Amino acid sequence: KAGVTQTPRYLIKTRGQQVTLSCSPISGHRSVSWYQQTPGQGLQFLFEYFSETQRNKGNFPGRFSGRQFSNSRSEMNVSTLELGDSALYLCASSQTGWGYNEQFFGPGTRLTVL
Amino acid sequence: DQQVKQNSPSLSVQEGRISILNCDYTNSMFDYFLWYKKYPAEGPTFLISISSIKDKNEDGRFTVFLNKSAKHLSLHIVPSQPGDSAVYFCAASADRAAGNKLTFGGGTRVLVKP
């Protein structure tokens, strides 16, 4: 089975721009979660999607948004980029949207905002 | 407000000896705990988990201990191997009906010396 894939792997943007990151979960997995990893704040939960619906949301501003498609693939969008948005963005998939399922992480997208 | 804390940012251990990683949490609603391992340029990999109804879970060289009264958990790796050198994250989840939101600690970097 192919693992979680994220594209692109690396991205450089400038302040004020917007960016879209993509995540393809493991086949059969219906839940996709997004996390931001920074040196200062560690790994922080952004949001989770299950069956095209946002189930959970972390404490991030509205500039961070996401969506999930009918094939479970997910995208996250960050508008009006700030320097502090530079981070590793990780996507994780699991089979269901409830219970204690192992989450499988992708390799991440490294976003640099200049 | 850090709900999950890993107070030791790094740990150095000799190959063959025991590695003990510690994690403290403050949120009484957490009832499921996980450990992840992360290599550079890769996403976190699930290692082992424990439900709050247990105080110990073992999987090969990895054992997780949970002390609910102290809101403390630990991961024991015996024997430690050079391939175990990585960053280890403790994570916690509350309310299985709420989905797959994980709250992570800041990580402990483990170096296993040959």
Side-chain angles (χ1 to χ4, degrees):
Chain A
K1 239 183 193 181
V4 178
T5 58
Q6 292 187 244
T7 57
R9 291 292 311 277
Y10 302 91
L11 205 49
I12 299 176
K13 292 284 188 179
T14 56
R15 278 184 300 174
Q17 287 187 309
Q18 68 94 26
V19 67
T20 299
L21 311 181
S22 180
C23 171
S24 292
I26 291 171
S27 177
H29 285 195
R30 297 166 64 191
S31 168
V32 173
S33 299
W34 288 89
Y35 293 83
Q36 181 197 63
Q37 185 182 21
T38 59
Q41 298 297 320
L43 267 159
Q44 291 189 290
F45 175 80
L46 279 155
F47 29 65
E48 180 205 4
Y49 287 88
F50 179 74
S51 293
E52 302 177 65
T53 302
Q54 188 180 88
R55 285 180 56 91
N56 282 295
K57 191 176 189 307
N59 296 325
F60 280 82
R63 300 184 297 106
F64 292 82
S65 63
R67 60 178 174 168
Q68 187 179 34
F69 302 95
S70 57
N71 62 358
S72 294
R73 190 178 70 85
S74 177
E75 288 181 347
M76 68 163 280
N77 183 277
V78 188
S79 62
T80 320
L81 284 166
E82 300 177 359
L83 295 179
D85 297 333
S86 294
L88 180 67
Y89 290 88
L90 291 159
C91 161
S93 78
S94 60
Q95 284 190 311
T96 65
W98 59 87
Y100 300 126
N101 301 280
E102 178 182 341
Q103 291 191 44
F104 296 83
F105 282 82
T109 294
R110 171 75 61 186
L111 172 65
T112 302
V113 182
L114 302 175
Chain B
D1 175 31
Q2 273 192 292
Q3 298 186 59
V4 179
K5 286 185 183 179
Q6 294 175 253
N7 290 318
S8 298
S10 63
L11 172 70
S12 182
V13 64
Q14 209 66 36
E15 181 180 3
R17 305 293 291 269
I18 183 171
S19 294
I20 300 177
L21 291 79
N22 295 300
C23 179
D24 297 298
Y25 62 96
T26 57
N27 189 342
S28 302
M29 299 303 292
F30 288 145
D31 59 357
Y32 190 65
F33 304 88
L34 309 90
W35 285 94
Y36 281 84
K37 173 181 178 180
K38 187 178 185 300
Y39 293 117
E42 294 183 14
T45 302
F46 171 77
L47 274 177
I48 192 168
S49 62
I50 188 167
S51 163
S52 61
I53 62 173
K54 295 185 174 182
D55 54 20
K56 177 183 173 181
N57 188 25
E58 196 171 349
D59 184 1
R61 297 187 298 115
F62 303 93
T63 302
V64 57
F65 296 91
L66 175 62
N67 183 333
K68 280 198 305 181
S69 60
K71 292 190 178 69
H72 177 84
L73 63 155
S74 61
L75 174 68
H76 292 206
I77 306 173
V78 183
S80 299
Q81 299 173 353
D84 296 331
S85 296
V87 178
Y88 290 78
F89 291 95
C90 164
S93 177
D95 185 4
R96 66 175 65 198
N100 291 311
K101 175 180 177 180
L102 293 177
T103 301
F104 283 87
T108 297
R109 184 176 301 277
V110 173
L111 176 62
V112 180
K113 298 178 180 176

